[in-house]
Amino acid sequence: MNYTLRINGETHQVESEPEVPLLWILRDVLGLTGTKFGCGVAACGACTVHVDGRAMRTCTLPVSAVADKHIATIEGPPDVRLQALQAAWIRHQVPQCGYCQSGMLMAAAALLAERAQPSDADIDRAITNICRCGTYQRVRRAIHDAAGKLA
Amino acid sequence: MTFSPGRRRFLLTAGVVGGGLLIGYGLFRERDLLGDPAILPTEGDQVALNAWLKIDGAGHVTVAVPRAEMGQGVYTALPMLVAEELGAAWADVRADQAPVDKVYGNIAVLTDAAPLDPHDHGFVATTLRWSLSRVARVLGVQVTGGSTSVRDAWLPMRTAGAAARDMLTRAAAARLAVPPGELEVSDGKVSHAASGRALSFGALAGEAAALAPPTRIVFREPGERRLLGRPLPRTDVPAKVDGSAQFGADVRNAGTVYAAIRIAPVFGGQLGSFDRAALEARPGVIGVVPLEDALAVVGRTWWHAEQALSAVDVAFSPGPGADVSTADLFARYADAIDADDGFAYEDRGDARAALRGADVLRAEYRAPLLAHACMEPMNCTVRLGDGTADIWCGNQAPDLLRLIAADMLDLPPERIRLHTPLLGGGFGRRAEPDFMRYAIAIAQAVPDQTVQLVYSREQDLQHDTYRPPVLSRFAARLDGEGRIAAWHNHIAGPSVSQATIARAFPGLPLGGPDKTSAEGAAHLPYAVPARRVEHSKVDIPAPVGFWRSVGHSYNAFFTECFVDELAAAAAADPLAFRLAHLHDRPRERRVLTLLEAVSDWGSAPPAGRARGLALHESFHSIVGQVAEVSLDGGQVHVHRVVCVIDCGQVVNPDIVIAQMESGIVFGLTAALYGDTRLEGGRVQQWNFPDYRMLTMKEMPQIETHVIESGAEPGGVGEPGTPPIAPAVANAVSRLLGRRIRSLPLRSALGAG
Ligand code: FES
Ligand code: FES
């Protein structure tokens, strides 16, 4: 099948079986490696991107489900929320190994789109990504800080 | 501070230690530490001043970092050592992965491997460390591990910066026609105050590189330091927030093909029959590669390869351990302890005699098998050329991997370019060669292609080199004053070091003691007149390896929980009880005293909560932690962790704090949930849903306090991990009114 994918404002034509997860189209077909593979079963969040503004785990999201939708990855031109989060991530020195951080940032940006000033409980609910380096405390602080800066 | 051959001799004979000499660098001439600048590849107008740094015309300083960046901050802390002595402006400093060369060998990791009390600076211990450092230099083992990076780099990388500063100064002196003594080096330039003139590093680099390195190294006085001790921003962070950071799994060459693998599920099993035609008929499959103990499929994308393997039945013969379960291993350990003495890593006074008769407190503790579960699954990318090979993989031992690759490919090691991209977690797992061996074997079967092998999370969890399960038995007696009079600890488990070396170099004769088995159990800081700590080595069928903090990861749990049991028997406060055994240990006392104040130890915890304490030295750093915990049915909630660390001289305090947070989460995840179970010789857990990780909602508030003791720099990557399990378990025991003696807590509390 041929799919038209709109990723980070650009249009890509991709030849693929319908069930191939978006993650592998991004990484192995288009070379957009900022989105990571961590588990393949929607359990870790490393593969999170935005589909029409919502955070989606791409390791279990078939390409056929996202044709003609707006896909945003960590490499794309950041919207104002992602930009604020990236700046806060640097201020709070959040990343360690960094492998989970693309997914963390995309999940956090989607949270801010839904709730401009999230509470700790909102963060607990929305950020279910796994970080093996244990950066959670700094992630939380940086989300609050970015939200404050955007207010 | 300066040092000269005379001073080195004094240090050797007196056994006195100071600034990096403890680990044995004093043996080498400064010139030998600097290395050959020609080994550094240069781009554009960069020039190398020694094997550790390059400067370009715009004045950017690129530091060759000989260790892997796996989150622990070496791309920042090690360049800081160079930049400080050099006088560079931090904004101009970049980090680059160093090539493979003996000059980058890690001496600290080998001297630390000796089964010695780290506090023993007597003649025998000192001599042994010095001979090991010689061996380390010859081997040039380029290992990232053992929390040694800063400690090992402290002398050579500061020497490299100071030598380059001297060369830049002499170049400027010639240019300005003034004596070098009148020049000042700071912020990336050499200035002459009297005439108000200054030259930038960029303008001087070429001339400086043509000068001979100095024969005498002069370090800056500690009071002159501008960078060390400051929370400078990490060099690797910007690329980690915009997706541009390159991990091993991100290597993409034109025409890369992707491989997935199934390794024999029972350790030691072999590949049996499979339907090759069915595999080849699957969509996107490029090749099928049978290996001795595994089957690999190469696909257009990794998903196509993985799907093909999932869709087709593959048979494996069971290995020799096909009937082994975790419960059997603990039974074997108990038998070994009952049967015989172990190797005594410490034996002072006659502990066994003192522990005959009544009034002896006894306890038996257990710790489970654990997988590393690095966030980035194991992977390796290989491109074979004509008499050359390029290998990209996140790894903790590049020279070792290169040797193994050279042997497999029948090439001289110099013909193999081993690239180390960023590591999505290491924790000891990436010191192993398995994923590279498989990737090379697959690439040999698929010529003229770049082949990238990625383990699925299931393969990553089921084919790890695990933290071994361990059994630990204690017996102790208190004296009339409530002090520990005798302590006997007998541990049983496999030897991690021997298992690791045997995998890398099959056939090498191995034996003797393994310090990692008893580290954190022997040479405890507490004053106990009679003590014996022994270990019985019991091999197990599962491969075991280095897991963040290694022996300390379980021995701290055993010993610090048992100390709490003794405190309870003495009806003493756990903190006061520890202090009473630490009269001659000022650093430990200071950690505990500060911890007492900052954790509100003296005041009652909020209703329904209890506090637990642990103190543990590992990798030359001392860490104390207090955990505030509540219970909700079988669930343990950790609300707050207060952590105090004395890691000696601090290079970057924010990295120290980040590593404490990271080590605590790693240890807490294991303490609460970590349990990799063997049944029928194979690992039962398959992915994160059943190898549970701590997430945001369970994250305690962590408060870290760093003591600047000025002692020799200690490690920070691992020392945060060991104390958290006993701190939490001690709190849980208090809440329950019965002792917790096994991990994970979820199972100990009957929550499955
Ligand atoms: S890789 Fe998609 S959630 Fe883990
Ligand atoms: S930063 Fe390493 S997994 Fe999150």
Side-chain angles (χ1 to χ4, degrees):
Chain A
M1 289 278 293
N2 192 280
Y3 293 96
T4 304
L5 297 180
R6 284 186 288 170
I7 304 171
N8 301 330
E10 286 174 30
T11 304
H12 301 263
Q13 297 297 326
V14 173
E15 192 53 49
S16 174
E17 297 87 3
E19 67 274 21
V20 178
L22 176 60
L23 175 63
W24 302 104
I25 303 287
L26 292 172
R27 289 186 59 80
D28 291 0
V29 178
L30 301 174
L32 288 169
T33 55
T35 306
K36 305 299 186 198
F37 165 62
C39 69
V41 296
C44 77
C47 62
T48 306
V49 306
H50 292 176
V51 178
D52 286 345
R54 289 185 43 221
M56 300 284 268
R57 295 187 172 178
T58 56
C59 63
T60 50
L61 181 65
V63 63
S64 54
V66 296
D68 300 321
K69 300 202 194 302
H70 287 277
I71 299 163
T73 76
I74 189 75
E75 294 100 335
D79 65 13
V80 47
R81 285 178 290 268
L82 182 54
Q83 230 166 11
L85 287 163
Q86 287 170 323
W89 247 240
I90 292 174
R91 271 197 302 284
H92 293 272
Q93 295 282 291
V94 174
Q96 292 191 21
C97 84
Y99 193 78
C100 72
Q101 298 293 335
S102 302
M104 281 282 182
L105 280 156
M106 296 311 276
L111 168 63
L112 291 188
E114 186 195 315
R115 260 174 213 265
Q117 301 298 322
S119 65
D120 278 341
D122 293 331
I123 293 174
D124 286 348
R125 185 183 41 76
I127 308 297
T128 55
N129 304 45
I130 293 172
C131 173
R132 192 64 169 130
C133 300
T135 62
Y136 303 113
Q137 177 157 304
R138 289 174 188 236
V139 168
R140 185 190 300 281
R141 250 190 248 147
I143 292 174
H144 283 310
D145 185 12
K149 289 267 184 325
L150 286 166
Chain B
M1 175 194 148
T2 67
F3 60 88
S4 61
R7 185 172 150 81
R8 276 202 303 276
R9 254 195 310 280
F10 164 74
L11 286 167
L12 177 59
T13 47
V16 174
V17 293
L21 297 171
L22 170 60
I23 56 174
Y25 271 112
L27 275 176
F28 310 112
R29 290 177 308 156
E30 295 79 1
R31 196 75 69 91
D32 297 335
L33 297 179
L34 295 175
D36 179 359
I39 65 174
L40 285 189
T42 52
E43 270 170 42
D45 59 355
Q46 282 180 331
V47 290
L49 273 71
N50 49 52
W52 302 87
L53 72 108
K54 302 181 279 192
I55 300 178
D56 70 12
H60 297 127
V61 177
T62 303
V63 175
V65 179
R67 306 288 167 254
E69 177 57 82
M70 46 192 187
Q72 84 284 39
V74 285
Y75 273 24
T76 306
L78 300 195
M80 282 174 74
L81 299 177
V82 173
E84 177 71 65
E85 286 301 331
L86 181 62
W90 183 242
D92 291 336
V93 177
R94 317 257 182 282
D96 221 358
Q97 191 67 42
V100 181
D101 192 275
K102 284 204 192 317
V103 75
Y104 306 120
N106 187 336
I107 289 180
V109 85
L110 210 78
T111 50
D112 273 1
L116 299 167
D117 178 354
H119 294 269
D120 182 355
H121 302 310
F123 180 74
V124 174
T126 306
T127 312
L128 180 54
R129 277 192 205 100
W130 281 64
S131 16
L132 279 171
S133 64
R134 265 261 107 104
V135 175
R137 191 62 171 185
V138 174
L139 294 174
V141 188
Q142 206 166 326
V143 168
T144 308
S147 295
T148 54
S149 294
V150 162
R151 223 154 47 76
D152 184 76
W154 182 254
L155 191 74
M157 291 188 83
R158 284 162 61 246
T159 300
R165 164 165 46 84
D166 182 274
M167 291 154 79
L168 290 161
T169 306
R170 279 183 283 136
R175 196 79 95 76
L176 300 174
V178 296
E182 293 181 9
L183 295 168
E184 259 290 311
V185 188
S186 67
D187 273 334
K189 41 187 197 306
V190 187
S191 322
H192 187 241
S195 64
R197 290 176 297 168
L199 290 165
S200 72
F201 283 4
L204 292 167
E207 288 147 56
L211 300 173
T215 47
R216 184 166 163 274
I217 299 293
V218 183
F219 290 130
R220 291 180 190 272
E221 292 298 330
E224 289 175 40
R225 288 180 188 161
R226 286 159 186 248
L227 303 180
L228 296 191
R230 285 176 50 201
L232 296 177
R234 293 171 61 134
T235 60
D236 57 337
V237 158
K240 289 176 175 177
V241 303
D242 65 9
S244 63
Q246 289 278 308
F247 297 87
D250 300 333
V251 171
R252 291 288 177 278
N253 291 335
T256 301
V257 293
Y258 301 90
I261 196 164
R262 287 291 178 280
I263 304 167
V266 175
F267 302 114
Q270 304 284 307
L271 176 62
S273 62
F274 61 95
D275 186 344
R276 188 174 191 126
L279 278 171
E280 283 169 346
R282 296 284 310 174
V285 169
I286 293 170
V288 175
V289 185
L291 302 165
E292 206 174 313
D293 64 344
L295 179 64
V297 168
V298 180
R300 198 166 74 225
T301 73
W302 181 80
W303 186 83
H304 286 97
E306 175 67 20
Q307 284 302 109
L309 281 169
S310 304
V312 173
D313 278 341
V314 183
F316 290 95
S317 70
D323 52 352
V324 174
S325 70
T326 304
D328 299 335
L329 298 180
F330 283 110
R332 285 191 204 174
Y333 295 163
D335 289 349
I337 291 179
D338 291 338
D340 236 324
D341 286 353
F343 179 86
Y345 287 83
E346 189 178 20
D347 208 2
R348 301 187 194 190
D350 194 345
R352 283 184 292 192
L355 290 166
R356 279 188 204 114
D359 303 333
V360 175
L361 290 130
R362 295 179 194 279
E364 183 177 287
Y365 281 81
R366 288 168 181 222
L369 188 82
L370 291 174
H372 294 82
C374 297
M375 207 65 225
E376 179 193 16
M378 295 305 112
N379 64 82
C380 178
T381 308
V382 176
R383 168 114 208 158
L384 301 180
D386 187 11
T388 63
D390 278 276
I391 299 172
W392 295 263
C393 69
N395 74 85
Q396 297 177 240
D399 54 343
L400 183 75
L401 292 197
R402 197 174 67 157
L403 271 181
I404 293 170
D407 184 49
M408 280 184 78
L409 292 164
D410 204 11
L411 287 174
E414 318 74 70
R415 304 299 298 274
I416 294 169
R417 284 182 295 268
L418 188 90
H419 312 271
T420 304
L422 295 169
L423 279 60
F427 314 122
R429 175 64 176 97
R430 286 191 153 94
E432 295 288 334
D434 55 320
F435 41 94
M436 183 194 72
R437 279 186 173 134
Y438 288 128
I440 290 174
I442 299 165
Q444 285 175 314
V446 188
D448 305 322
Q449 306 265 34
T450 300
V451 176
Q452 179 170 91
L453 168 68
V454 181
Y455 283 16
S456 65
R457 176 57 66 194
E458 292 79 3
Q459 293 295 300
D460 186 273
L461 279 182
Q462 300 191 342
H463 296 283
D464 198 343
T465 46
Y466 304 87
R467 200 283 301 272
V470 176
L471 185 73
S472 180
R473 267 191 208 161
F474 291 96
R477 183 198 294 280
L478 297 170
D479 67 14
E481 253 95 84
R483 304 263 165 84
I484 309 169
W487 169 285
H488 180 198
N489 182 193
H490 195 155
I491 313 159
S495 160
V496 165
S497 302
Q498 284 168 20
T500 305
I501 296 168
R503 277 192 299 275
F505 302 108
L508 206 68
L510 294 165
D514 171 11
K515 182 220 175 193
T516 61
S517 310
E519 63 184 4
H523 313 299
L524 294 180
Y526 307 115
V528 177
R531 49 187 168 176
R532 178 176 169 86
V533 177
E534 57 189 310
H535 180 267
S536 294
K537 183 165 104 62
V538 182
D539 291 330
I540 68 173
V544 295
F546 296 97
W547 187 96
R548 197 175 194 171
S549 79
V550 199
H552 296 280
S553 75
Y554 45 81
N555 282 321
F557 167 67
F558 304 148
T559 59
E560 281 298 280
C561 285
F562 191 58
V563 166
D564 250 43
E565 294 200 36
L566 297 180
D573 170 77
L575 196 143
F577 183 76
R578 285 172 173 81
L579 277 177
H581 292 83
L582 290 167
H583 357 266
D584 57 347
R585 299 299 280 256
R587 291 179 70 192
E588 279 86 352
R589 291 187 72 84
R590 196 167 161 206
V591 167
L592 275 188
T593 315
L594 178 60
L595 189 60
E596 182 172 22
V598 292
S599 69
D600 311 309
W601 183 260
S603 66
R609 296 187 189 178
R611 295 198 188 101
L613 163 79
L615 172 75
H616 193 76
E617 176 181 1
S618 61
F619 310 97
H620 307 271
S621 292
I622 301 157
V623 180
Q625 290 169 4
V626 167
E628 209 169 280
V629 173
S630 69
L631 288 176
D632 172 7
Q635 289 283 354
V636 178
H637 294 284
V638 182
H639 303 271
R640 179 180 178 225
V641 176
V642 183
C643 173
V644 173
I645 175 167
D646 172 358
C647 56
Q649 302 209 33
V650 175
V651 174
N652 184 320
D654 192 52
I655 292 179
V656 176
I657 291 168
Q659 283 311 295
M660 290 305 103
E661 293 166 359
S662 176
I664 288 167
V665 173
F666 202 84
L668 184 57
T669 303
L672 294 175
Y673 312 124
D675 194 3
T676 315
R677 280 184 222 170
L678 286 178
E679 224 38 86
R682 56 182 291 181
V683 166
Q684 299 301 301
Q685 282 61 36
W686 62 282
N687 203 317
F688 289 131
D690 67 352
Y691 192 59
R692 185 165 162 192
M693 296 288 126
L694 188 118
T695 57
M696 183 71 87
K697 65 176 191 305
E698 305 130 281
M699 178 70 190
Q701 177 188 330
I702 300 178
E703 302 154 37
T704 301
H705 301 261
V706 182
I707 293 177
E708 280 269 10
S709 70
E712 175 100 13
V716 300
E718 295 166 276
T721 298
I724 189 64
V728 172
N730 285 335
V732 171
S733 295
R734 207 177 264 211
L735 287 168
L736 287 175
R738 69 175 167 90
R739 293 303 310 185
I740 293 287
R741 294 193 181 116
S742 69
L743 293 176
L745 292 166
R746 187 166 60 158
S747 308
L749 295 178

